[in-house]
Amino acid sequence: MDPDRDSTVVTVHVAKLEKMVRIRLDYSRQSRTIRYIRITGDFFMHPEDSIDGLEEGLLGTELERDALRQRISSALAGTRCFGFDAESLTGAILDAGGDAP
Amino acid sequence: MAVDECLLYRYGAAGDTVLRLYGWSRPCITIGYFQGVREEVNLERCEHSQVDVVRRITGGGAVFHDMEVTYSLVTKRFHSDIMASYRSICDMVVLGLGHMGLDASFSPLNDVTVNGKKVCGNAQTRKGGALLQHGTILLDVDVEKMFSLLNVPTAKIRDKAIAGVKERVAGIGRTFEQTVDALKRGAQDAFGCGLDTMSLSGKDIAECRRIMAARYSQRSWTHKR
């Protein structure tokens, strides 16, 4: 990682309910807020385009459990997910942040 | 994929229930709506092997389509509960396989198994008040070929992954024609209906071409994630 950049990108894999969820995360190390997030995997979401609102809704969110869970729960209101839930996704994003060097 | 989407909007959303049974003129890979194409697929090897790669409008995992019967079903009459809707449509497959002497069962969320091994995977989406569910019934499986085209994290894991899939996934060992015939009977049993044969109209084909040009032949769609 470039020490001069106030940013880090990490990828974590979360296996839950036999589905794979990958998180690609770019966040500010200084403010610990999310600059970019991509959630990919073989999971299901209905409706499918909820993923866009989820990823957009997480931009600027602090890498802190309550803030993440609240933002995710809000973004997923009315969405059916198979393969992850708000709690496991929160944990995965925190893992991604925590695993950063 | 364009035909499935055309059927969803032109027939399913209009209140018609349509079952499509088809095969592939050459092997192809489809990836789930939420998957990263580069994460899942060895694109260079696919190009070299002339294996097309396309993103589905449904979630789920990457599928190497080769020796299989593929079905798609569109309908406006379905359970609002997602698990229940998978179960009721997969009943068609379970009952169809039963007509070939196979003791199949539904394995939530979206699989059908025979003797504990997955023989059929399914995925669905709901748009315009209609449901599209499509799935594959494996006739045979070439796991080595599949893993030569799909990415696994490391070479070290490759052998384990291949062994794991061989243990969990199997073909049903029947012909394409036998399976198509059995699925038709399964559909009649599961849905308590008769079947009429239909062909795509000129307007349908034009719409398929439009969808293909607008979505499935676009690199931006397949590389969306």
Side-chain angles (χ1 to χ4, degrees):
Chain A
M1 190 180 68
D2 180 353
D4 295 331
R5 283 193 65 211
D6 175 32
S7 176
T8 191
V9 178
V10 288
T11 303
V12 295
H13 298 178
V14 180
K16 185 172 186 289
L17 299 173
E18 298 183 359
K19 303 295 178 194
M20 177 69 78
V21 179
R22 289 190 177 91
I23 310 288
R24 187 167 171 80
L25 183 67
D26 181 359
Y27 68 94
S28 163
R29 282 181 293 146
Q30 201 168 35
S31 64
R32 289 191 61 78
T33 54
I34 296 172
R35 289 175 164 170
Y36 169 89
I37 185 165
R38 185 65 91 212
I39 303 162
T40 58
D42 61 354
F43 52 87
F44 293 91
M45 288 175 79
H46 299 273
E48 287 80 6
D49 55 10
S50 303
I51 191 74
D52 300 325
L54 174 62
E55 289 172 344
E56 280 173 27
L58 284 167
L59 298 180
T61 306
E62 191 181 343
L63 287 172
E64 188 274 322
R65 185 171 293 277
D66 288 343
L68 282 169
R69 189 170 41 211
Q70 192 177 357
R71 199 64 75 89
I72 292 167
S73 297
S74 168
L76 292 182
T79 299
R80 294 292 311 277
C81 299
F82 296 89
F84 67 83
D85 54 22
E87 192 63 41
S88 61
L89 187 58
T90 297
I93 295 169
L94 287 172
D95 285 349
D99 285 347
Chain B
M1 294 299 107
V3 176
D4 283 2
E5 190 172 338
C6 171
L7 292 174
L8 172 64
Y9 287 110
R10 283 181 65 83
Y11 290 89
D16 293 325
T17 296
V18 178
L19 171 65
R20 176 187 179 214
L21 299 166
Y22 60 104
W24 299 77
S25 54
R26 64 174 203 243
C28 169
I29 289 173
T30 64
I31 59 169
Y33 181 82
F34 306 102
Q35 291 190 296
V37 65
R38 288 204 166 273
E39 291 168 352
E40 303 296 335
V41 183
N42 186 327
L43 292 170
E44 291 71 27
R45 203 164 286 168
C46 285
E47 190 175 349
H48 183 258
S49 305
Q50 292 187 305
V51 171
D52 290 333
V53 180
V54 69
R55 182 179 301 279
R56 300 190 304 270
I57 57 170
T58 53
V63 181
F64 174 53
H65 300 278
D66 192 6
M67 296 168 285
E68 66 179 44
V69 172
T70 313
Y71 80 86
S72 56
L73 184 125
V74 298
T75 185
K76 216 169 184 174
R77 293 185 287 273
F78 57 89
H79 287 279
S80 59
D81 179 78
I82 289 168
M83 180 83 80
S85 63
Y86 268 115
R87 182 182 292 277
S88 69
I89 297 171
C90 286
D91 269 352
M92 167 188 73
V93 179
V94 169
L95 294 169
L97 295 180
H99 283 296
M100 294 189 289
L102 298 167
D103 184 14
S105 53
F106 174 63
S107 178
L109 170 71
N110 57 325
D111 294 335
V112 173
T113 58
V114 172
N115 298 326
K117 291 193 175 190
K118 175 178 174 176
V119 297
C120 169
N122 304 273
Q124 67 170 245
T125 186
R126 296 154 181 229
K127 295 183 192 302
L131 175 147
L132 160 68
Q133 181 166 314
H134 45 201
T136 61
I137 295 91
L138 298 168
L139 305 178
D140 198 0
V141 189
D142 185 341
V143 180
E144 279 82 6
K145 189 175 179 186
M146 182 174 84
F147 274 102
S148 74
L149 299 167
L150 298 178
N151 285 331
V152 285
T154 63
K156 196 177 172 184
I157 294 175
R158 179 176 295 270
D159 289 347
K160 199 176 172 186
I162 289 173
V165 170
K166 281 181 175 172
E167 208 168 279
R168 287 183 289 108
V169 178
I172 59 172
R174 301 296 193 275
T175 67
F176 184 89
E177 291 74 17
Q178 287 171 330
T179 306
V180 165
D181 184 56
L183 286 173
K184 287 179 183 172
R185 294 172 68 189
Q188 292 176 80
D189 296 343
F191 309 131
C193 64
L195 295 176
D196 293 325
T197 303
M198 65 165 273
S199 300
L200 294 177
S201 69
K203 282 185 179 175
D204 295 333
I205 292 168
E207 178 61 5
C208 291
R209 288 192 174 131
R210 189 196 66 75
I211 294 170
M212 193 165 70
R215 192 196 296 282
Y216 297 105
S217 65
Q218 295 293 323
R219 190 178 190 279
S220 59
W221 167 254
T222 294
H223 288 249
K224 179 183 169 77
R225 304 182 76 76

